[in-house]
Amino acid sequence: MGSVVGKLVVTVGLVIEALLVALLASAYQQSQQQLAQIQTKYDAEHRLRLFLQGALDAVQNPITVTDIDMNWVFINKVTETLLAPRGLNKESALGKHCSHWKADICGTNNCGVASLRQGRPQTHYNQEYPNQPSTYMQVDTTYILDDNGHEIGHVEIVTNVDAAEKIKNTSAKISSSLEQTSASLEQMSAVTTQTADNFRKVNQLMDHSGKHITEAHRLMGLFTNSMNQITAASQETSLIVKTIDEISFQTNILALNAAVEAARAGPAGAGFAVVASEVRNLAMRAAQSSRGTAELIEKTIAKVKEGADLLVQTNQSFSEMVKTSEETKTRIHDISTASDEQALGIQEITSAIVQMNQVIEHAAYGDKVPKPRASGKSGRKVIPIAYQG
């Protein structure tokens, strides 16, 4: 009986041992499969980390990644180069607070993370250098979100916008100058337009004045002709008076002869002598009147001749005035045309300056530096590189 029990115990022991071996073998196989899965997952995550690290290193802007407590998780090659003078690199920066960098903006409102937490994802600062002028830098910061939308870190990108800022400031100055120039040109255009309008009005007045001067010149010509006719008539009257004077002289001689003959006739010729005396008196009076009239006519002819000479001079002056008026009218018309063309040219220049101003303003204010896109916006969780094995 004892030997049977002993065999049974041995058999049970062997069975138990076999079961344990089988269980251990199964557990070992499962653990090997789990280890293989873990290794595969680790290899995938490691490759992803290397991929992300290579992608960020390829960016030519300083990029830093921190967790939500502002401990460095990753810095790219550009940032590592900037930190090299401070004795920092990727390995020595991992897991340390970002203030370890001791940058000028740390603890100020220009800190990217501090600015982000105040609702300002973008800030600026001046980067100082020991041997070169400072540069104007822009910091864009955004949150990294996990799959549930929780904030787990920050991404900070620094961009050198010094040249763009200088262009912006210069463009703003140019824009301001162009606005002032445009305003001055608009005033000049208004003055030129007003001047052109005034010249057109003067041109109309010159037309009106020219018509009056031409009419006056025509009337002066008629008046000159009338004066010439008066002169001719006065000369004819002078001839008539001279003839009357000659007739009076002959009549006086005949009266003298008649008186002589009457004296010779004696008493019989006394009556005839009286008549002859009266005729002589009339002849003498006619001669005196004729001489007086002749003197008046000569004075009148002299005055008429003087007036005719003045009329000739006046007519010549009117001719010169008409000529000058025509030349003035032509020049005013040319000035009016030139003023119109100048006003049009100023308007075109003003329009071109306005367009230039719009282009410069667009260049200065329209082209914004694009904000960085964080991978957290897509909902993908960023693997903390600081804890990779």
Side-chain angles (χ1 to χ4, degrees), residues 87-362:
L88 296 174
N89 55 28
K90 290 184 178 181
E91 289 73 17
S92 62
L94 294 179
K96 295 181 180 179
H97 195 271
C98 64
S99 61
H100 186 64
W101 182 1
K102 297 180 180 179
D104 294 337
I105 62 173
C106 289
T108 68
N109 291 330
N110 291 327
C111 172
V113 175
S115 177
L116 175 65
R117 292 181 178 181
Q118 294 174 6
R120 295 182 293 111
Q122 186 179 96
T123 185
H124 299 84
Y125 72 97
N126 285 314
Q127 179 67 53
E128 301 293 339
Y129 302 98
N131 300 321
Q132 64 184 34
S134 63
T135 53
Y136 192 68
M137 311 297 285
Q138 176 176 301
V139 182
D140 294 279
T141 312
T142 187
Y143 284 110
I144 301 174
L145 307 178
D146 62 11
D147 293 334
N148 297 321
H150 298 144
E151 298 169 355
I152 61 173
H154 320 88
V155 175
E156 186 178 86
I157 300 178
V158 181
T159 307
N160 186 344
V161 294
D162 188 70
E165 186 67 17
K166 289 179 180 178
I167 292 175
K168 177 180 177 180
N169 293 334
T170 303
S171 299
K173 293 179 180 178
I174 295 175
S175 177
S176 177
S177 298
L178 286 176
E179 287 179 357
Q180 295 177 358
T181 304
S182 177
S184 299
L185 283 174
E186 287 179 358
Q187 294 178 355
M188 187 183 300
S189 177
V191 172
T192 304
T193 301
Q194 183 64 35
T195 302
D197 292 338
N198 291 335
F199 271 117
R200 277 192 291 271
K201 293 178 181 178
V202 171
N203 196 25
Q204 293 173 357
L205 292 175
M206 287 299 298
D207 287 338
H208 189 65
S209 176
K211 292 178 181 178
H212 284 289
I213 292 174
T214 302
E215 180 64 18
H217 183 258
R218 186 183 70 82
L219 294 175
M220 286 299 297
L222 295 176
F223 188 40
T224 301
N225 292 332
S226 298
M227 290 297 293
N228 292 331
Q229 292 175 3
I230 292 172
T231 301
S234 298
Q235 290 174 352
E236 292 176 358
T237 304
S238 178
L239 292 174
I240 294 171
V241 170
K242 187 176 181 181
T243 301
I244 293 172
D245 184 54
E246 291 175 353
I247 293 171
S248 297
F249 180 74
Q250 293 295 329
T251 303
N252 187 26
I253 292 175
L254 290 174
L256 286 173
N257 290 332
V260 172
E261 292 298 327
R264 288 178 180 177
F272 184 75
V274 174
V275 173
S277 178
E278 291 296 330
V279 170
R280 184 186 176 194
N281 290 332
L282 289 173
M284 291 178 65
R285 290 173 61 186
Q288 290 178 353
S289 298
S290 176
R291 282 192 296 272
T293 304
E295 290 177 357
L296 290 175
I297 290 176
E298 286 178 358
K299 291 180 179 179
T300 302
I301 290 174
K303 293 294 183 181
V304 169
K305 186 176 182 303
E306 184 180 352
D309 292 339
L310 291 175
L311 278 175
V312 171
Q313 295 177 4
T314 304
N315 199 19
Q316 290 176 351
S317 298
F318 264 104
S319 298
E320 292 296 328
M321 188 181 298
V322 171
K323 183 178 179 181
T324 303
S325 176
E326 290 296 330
E327 291 180 356
T328 304
K329 176 183 175 182
T330 301
R331 293 188 180 184
I332 288 177
H333 177 72
D334 293 341
I335 293 173
S336 178
T337 302
S339 296
D340 289 335
E341 293 176 354
Q342 184 179 8
L344 180 61
I346 291 176
Q347 289 177 357
E348 291 177 353
I349 293 173
T350 303
S351 178
I353 288 178
V354 170
Q355 293 178 0
M356 290 172 58
N357 190 29
Q358 291 175 350
V359 171
I360 291 175
E361 285 183 347
H362 179 72

